[in-house]
Amino acid sequence: QVQLVESGGGLVQAGGSLRLSCAASGRTFSSYAMGWFRQTPGKERDFVAAISWSGGSTYYADSVKGRFTISRDNAKNTVYLQMNSLKPEDTAVYYCAADGSARGGHFYVWEYDYWGQGTQVTVSS
């Protein structure tokens, strides 16, 4: 079992940056691919980015490509989402998730096994 705790959300002006962190419990963190999703009220949870177990492969939604960077530190059991050039439409609750496939590259909610509680990101115009 993997427990995930996100942090780093907050309020930022458009054009600004935030770095989200997701700390995982358990010794098997390095065997999981990881992903970030986001959700706004009344809408489905959408894929943002994913990373393979080694960090060698990364995947991004078109809406964040070139602005967001996903990375991981397996020694610290942590995955990060660096968000630059933020836009008001990036406002959402951001969730990290663990994908037992290890290789990763999955873009749908049902493909992930464990979820964090989410962290709010608000981008003001």
Side-chain angles (χ1 to χ4, degrees):
Q1 184 135 0
V2 177
Q3 292 184 323
L4 305 171
V5 179
E6 301 97 334
S7 62
L11 174 64
V12 64
Q13 288 188 332
S17 298
L18 281 175
R19 189 176 82 155
L20 304 183
S21 299
C22 174
S25 65
R27 295 180 293 175
T28 59
F29 172 75
S30 61
S31 66
Y32 286 85
M34 298 295 295
W36 286 97
F37 287 73
R38 65 187 181 186
Q39 188 172 24
T40 55
K43 296 192 175 182
E44 294 184 348
R45 195 169 294 187
D46 292 330
F47 171 78
V48 174
I51 188 167
S52 62
W53 70 273
S54 66
S57 297
T58 56
Y59 311 85
Y60 297 95
D62 288 343
S63 59
V64 306
K65 204 169 292 183
R67 300 189 297 122
F68 290 12
T69 302
I70 188 171
S71 61
R72 66 189 297 161
D73 185 338
N74 286 342
K76 295 183 178 180
N77 280 12
T78 303
V79 63
Y80 305 98
L81 186 67
Q82 178 67 44
M83 305 186 294
N84 298 329
S85 302
L86 282 161
K87 305 175 181 180
E89 51 263 44
D90 294 318
T91 294
V93 177
Y94 283 71
Y95 298 88
C96 73
D99 169 10
S101 76
R103 182 175 60 86
H106 292 147
F107 309 132
Y108 298 100
V109 168
W110 60 82
E111 295 177 301
Y112 288 77
D113 302 300
Y114 301 102
W115 293 84
Q117 83 290 346
T119 186
Q120 176 71 46
V121 171
T122 303
V123 184
S124 64
S125 57

